[in-house]
């Protein structure tokens, strides 16, 4: 079943490679394949992607060519924060139909390993996470994807639907870190994940909330999102222990029970470790370099729990409810918009801290 007769635009995608080039080129499935449904497998649907946000990991794969063991080894399509419209469904799919608006959860799992069978599919041993090499991402006009990972968003905007992905990252952090009503919370890093985490902590009733960053502009943006948040501008070269003293003072001499570390930067993680209370938790959401030095004895003598997060699982329904109800407003995070044809400029903006960009959105509309 399909509604592909009105498709006219070529499928193009945003590519990078080991040489760190960035370009737009023809992608699959082709327009003819979409129209004829040639490439749809059992359980799959074809989506006309409408909006895709640029993630920091997309910029990292472009600039560095790798994140930890995940290495760009050939021409590679970026993007994993997307929402769009169902164009066609395989006959085996009964819960979706052409015209449905969906957010795309960008993973395909094996459904057989221990992680999958116990519901923690983010740890799937054979996961295909779109945009993580070697699996092509979603920054294209049309994509085929398993229907089970396409979540209906109703009248929600496609931009907000695409940002359910970073919201899912924050929700996984909230659940596993255990932030509760009245908890003093420190958020390290005022990028998109840190800011969405700020919205979640505010909605959860954390108090006080402090957020840190090197960039004054991002801290002002954070203050606008959550006026009761207390902001701390990190100064380069200041030891983590000294920064922690200033942060605790900023929080009315209350040490945070939980620090959500959203930058993945060694000095920021160490500042969080020095900041939290005895028995507190440093929950690391950000990704960083393969090896780091940490204040081991501070962790030991203060019984600080150091915990990590890898992506998310079972978060999309909750994220949709929060956005539909207005409890979490993601629209304010979008600062820049570009067409798919102008994606190179979009990436340059997202990569330039001087641009003031928070979430750069690409309009991928292909109909």
């Amino acid at each position: 079943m399909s509604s592909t007769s009105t498709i006219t635009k070529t499928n193009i995608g945003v590519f990078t490679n080991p040489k760190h080039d960035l370009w737009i080129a023809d992608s699959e499935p082709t327009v003819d394949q979409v129209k004829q449904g040639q490439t749809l497998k059992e359980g799959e649907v074809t989506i006309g992607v409408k909006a895709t946000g640029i993630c920091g990991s997309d910029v990292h794969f472009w600039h560095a060519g790798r994140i930890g063991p995940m290495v760009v080894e050939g021409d590679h399509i970026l993007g994993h924060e997307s929402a769009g419209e169902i164009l066609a469904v395989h006959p085996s799919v009964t819960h979706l139909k052409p015209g449905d608006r969906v957010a795309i959860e960008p993973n395909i799992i094996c459904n057989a390993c221990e992680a999958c069978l116990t519901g923690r599919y983010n740890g799937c041993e054979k996961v295909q996470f779109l945009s993580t090499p070697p699996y092509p991402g979603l920054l294209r006009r049309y994509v085929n994807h398993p229907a089970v990972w396409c979540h209906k968003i109703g009248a929600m905007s496609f931009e907000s639907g695409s940002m359910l992905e970073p919201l899912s990252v924050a929700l996984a952090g909230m659940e596993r870190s255990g932030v509760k009503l009245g908890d003093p919370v420190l958020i390290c890093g005022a990028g998109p994940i840190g800011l969405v985490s700020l919205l979640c902590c505010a909605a959860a009733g954390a108090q006080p909330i402090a957020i840190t960053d090197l960039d004054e502009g991002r801290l002002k943006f954070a203050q606008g999102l959550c006026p009761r948040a207390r902001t701390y501008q990190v100064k380069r070269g200041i030891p983590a222990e000294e920064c922690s003293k200033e942060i605790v003072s900023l929080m009315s001499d209350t040490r945070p029970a939980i620090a959500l570390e959203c930058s993945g930067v060694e000095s920021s993680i160490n500042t969080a470790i020095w900041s939290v209370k005895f028995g507190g938790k440093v929950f690391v959401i950000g990704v960083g370099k393969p090896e780091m030095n940490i204040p081991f004895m501070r962790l030991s003598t203060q019984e600080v729990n150091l915990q990590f997060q890898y992506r998310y699982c079972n978060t999309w329904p909750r994220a949709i409810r929060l956005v539909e109800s207005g409890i979490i407003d993601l629209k304010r995070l979008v600062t820049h918009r570009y067409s798919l044809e102008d994606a190179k400029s979009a990436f340059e903006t997202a990569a330039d801290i001087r641009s003031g960009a928070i979430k750069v959105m690409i309009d991928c509309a292909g109909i």
Side-chain angles (χ1 to χ4, degrees):
M1 183 167 58
S2 69
S3 62
T4 58
S5 59
T6 56
I7 293 175
T8 58
K9 293 185 178 180
T10 301
N11 194 10
I12 55 175
V14 181
F15 291 77
T16 190
N17 62 17
K19 296 180 180 179
H20 314 297
D21 299 318
L22 189 76
W23 74 98
I24 294 94
D26 290 346
S27 179
E28 293 186 342
T30 66
V31 169
D32 287 340
Q33 289 172 332
V34 171
K35 287 183 175 181
Q36 298 170 22
Q38 294 174 338
T39 57
L40 273 182
K41 301 174 184 176
E42 184 174 356
E44 285 189 338
V45 297
T46 300
I47 305 140
V49 179
K50 298 292 189 180
T52 299
I54 297 178
C55 176
S57 66
D58 294 318
V59 174
H60 207 77
F61 279 129
W62 167 36
H63 280 175
R66 69 183 302 158
I67 296 176
M70 298 164 282
V71 181
V72 176
E73 295 181 338
D75 293 354
H76 180 64
I77 300 176
L78 297 165
H80 59 267
E81 301 178 3
S82 299
E85 180 182 336
I86 300 293
L87 299 179
V89 303
H90 187 274
S92 59
V93 176
T94 58
H95 71 286
L96 293 173
K97 64 184 186 302
D100 284 344
R101 301 160 64 90
V102 296
I104 305 169
E105 187 169 352
N107 46 221
I108 303 171
I109 63 174
C110 75
N111 280 309
C113 66
E114 180 181 357
C116 288
L117 294 176
T118 56
R120 297 185 65 183
Y121 58 81
N122 54 315
C124 175
E125 298 169 359
K126 298 179 181 178
V127 66
Q128 300 175 40
F129 193 89
L130 306 193
S131 82
T132 296
Y135 307 109
L138 295 171
L139 249 174
R140 35 189 163 155
R141 284 208 174 100
Y142 316 117
V143 64
N144 295 339
H145 197 59
V148 69
W149 301 117
C150 296
H151 302 275
K152 291 183 182 180
I153 59 172
M156 185 187 304
S157 74
F158 289 118
E159 288 189 347
S160 290
S162 74
M163 288 187 286
L164 294 174
E165 201 279 342
L167 177 54
S168 285
V169 174
L171 290 178
M174 293 290 290
E175 181 176 2
R176 294 189 57 235
S177 67
V179 173
K180 301 185 299 297
L181 187 71
D183 276 347
V185 174
L186 169 65
I187 300 169
C188 300
I193 298 300
L195 293 171
V196 177
S197 297
L198 173 62
L199 291 175
C200 290
C201 286
Q207 179 64 21
I209 307 171
I211 186 166
T212 72
D213 204 275
L214 285 165
D215 185 67
E216 182 181 6
R218 287 193 165 184
L219 293 175
K220 287 182 178 178
F221 193 94
Q223 193 91 66
L225 275 182
C226 179
R228 66 183 175 88
R230 307 176 189 193
T231 61
Y232 176 78
Q233 186 172 7
V234 178
K235 305 170 188 67
R236 296 184 187 275
I238 305 299
E241 186 175 1
E242 293 304 311
C243 288
S244 73
K245 292 177 181 177
E246 295 181 2
I247 290 168
V248 172
S249 176
L250 177 69
M251 298 179 74
S252 303
D253 294 324
T254 300
R255 288 191 176 274
I258 296 170
L260 299 175
E261 207 300 310
C262 301
S263 75
V265 175
E266 180 179 308
S267 58
S268 181
I269 294 171
N270 289 344
T271 296
I273 292 170
W274 280 104
S275 297
V276 295
K277 70 178 185 178
F278 183 90
K281 178 180 290 187
V282 174
F283 191 85
V284 183
I285 299 173
V287 296
K289 59 186 182 181
E291 296 184 5
M292 299 185 185
N293 293 313
I294 60 174
F296 176 84
M297 286 308 298
R298 176 68 180 182
L299 289 164
S300 176
T301 60
Q302 294 298 299
E303 293 190 359
V304 172
N305 295 294
L306 181 59
Q307 192 173 352
F308 297 85
Q309 175 176 329
Y310 188 58
R311 297 176 181 152
Y312 40 71
C313 61
N314 306 307
T315 51
W316 249 258
R318 185 184 309 176
I320 290 169
R321 291 194 297 271
L322 288 168
V323 174
E324 283 182 334
S325 66
I327 294 173
I328 298 294
D329 181 8
L330 299 172
K331 297 188 294 292
R332 294 179 290 171
L333 296 172
V334 181
T335 54
H336 296 74
R337 294 176 174 87
Y338 292 85
S339 68
L340 183 57
E341 291 83 355
D342 200 19
K344 187 171 183 180
S345 295
F347 269 79
E348 290 169 349
T349 298
D352 185 0
I353 190 70
R354 297 168 298 179
S355 71
I358 299 298
K359 181 56 65 178
V360 176
M361 194 64 62
I362 295 179
D363 178 0
C364 302
I367 298 179

